[in-house]
Amino acid sequence: QAPPIPGTRFRIRAAAGAEPMVGGANGLLKSAFRLWDSPVVLALVWVSAVISTVAVLSQQQQLFQASSAGCGRAAVPDSAYRGSAGVPGSTGGGLLGGRAGSADAAAAGTASEVSAALAALEPWASPQARHTALLALQRMGGNLLAHPGEPKYARIWKANSAFVKAFGSLHGHDAAMRAFGFRDDVEAEAWQFVDQVANRQHLEAAMSVLQRAISDLPQG
């Protein structure tokens, strides 16, 4: 029998002892996979994903706010659209309150101007003459509101016989025409009304004052 080759027995033993090591590694892998599939690990993974998502969204929101601030877009607080007491619809401070206050002030100014012009319209005239004049003025304003943009209603010739007879011959009629939005600086021979939104709003307010003046005239 031939003597064994030196070193051969050691290699064979080493190879034979390697199998348990491989089996142990497989066991560790199986344990790791079972641990990964466990509900606790899955819950931790989901929680981590949610936290990451929230962090990303928060960071994007901060970047957007910083970008908006850099572009000069200042956010308007809700209180700016409410009154000074923070109650919607109040006429205190805020944008809406300021606009409502401006509209009320404009209407009050129109009412004051029209009332003064009507009071100065030949005060010594008879009630019948004043009634005729006010009705003529009401007819001119009503035609403008009923037929916006119609040139024949927007221009009234001063020499027109019907105009002179009913209204144009009265003292102070020119102040009344201007109070109703008419102007004669474009054509000196005619009263003209420029059909714009602001002028129409002014005329509507003036017509309300005129209607009250007609109602206050003595009857008979």
Side-chain angles (χ1 to χ4, degrees):
Q1 184 177 359
I5 300 174
T8 304
R9 184 179 301 175
F10 176 77
R11 288 195 296 269
I12 294 174
R13 291 178 179 176
E19 183 177 356
M21 294 178 63
V22 174
N26 291 335
L28 290 175
L29 290 176
K30 292 179 180 179
S31 299
F33 281 120
R34 282 197 298 270
L35 181 61
W36 178 260
D37 292 336
S38 66
V40 176
V41 174
L42 291 176
L44 291 175
V45 171
W46 278 105
V47 170
S48 177
V50 171
I51 293 175
S52 300
T53 302
V54 172
V56 171
L57 292 177
S58 177
Q59 184 179 10
Q60 290 180 351
Q61 183 178 5
Q62 293 176 357
L63 291 175
F64 175 77
Q65 292 176 351
S67 176
S68 299
C71 294
R73 299 175 182 175
V76 179
D78 292 339
S79 60
Y81 294 95
R82 298 193 290 264
S84 57
V87 180
S90 64
T91 57
L95 298 179
L96 296 182
R99 292 171 184 170
S102 299
D104 293 341
T110 299
S112 177
E113 179 186 6
V114 173
S115 297
L118 295 180
L121 184 62
E122 196 156 327
W124 54 86
S126 64
Q128 182 61 38
R130 286 184 58 81
H131 188 262
T132 301
L134 295 185
L135 288 181
L137 185 58
Q138 185 183 48
R139 185 164 54 254
M140 288 185 285
N143 286 335
L144 288 172
L145 295 177
H147 307 280
E150 286 280 347
K152 66 179 180 179
Y153 298 118
R155 179 188 287 108
I156 299 174
W157 296 103
K158 294 182 178 182
N160 183 280
S161 59
F163 171 76
V164 172
K165 181 180 179 181
F167 189 79
S169 60
L170 273 66
H171 172 79
H173 76 278
D174 51 348
M177 293 294 286
R178 292 189 180 93
F180 274 72
F182 289 91
R183 52 190 296 183
D184 61 348
D185 56 345
V186 178
E187 289 184 79
E189 297 82 10
W191 291 104
Q192 296 189 44
F193 181 86
V194 180
D195 193 3
Q196 296 177 347
V197 175
N199 292 343
R200 291 180 64 82
Q201 292 175 347
H202 177 89
L203 178 59
E204 290 173 354
M207 292 289 286
S208 298
V209 178
L210 176 60
Q211 182 59 49
R212 290 194 297 268
I214 294 174
S215 301
D216 293 341
L217 286 175
Q219 302 296 324

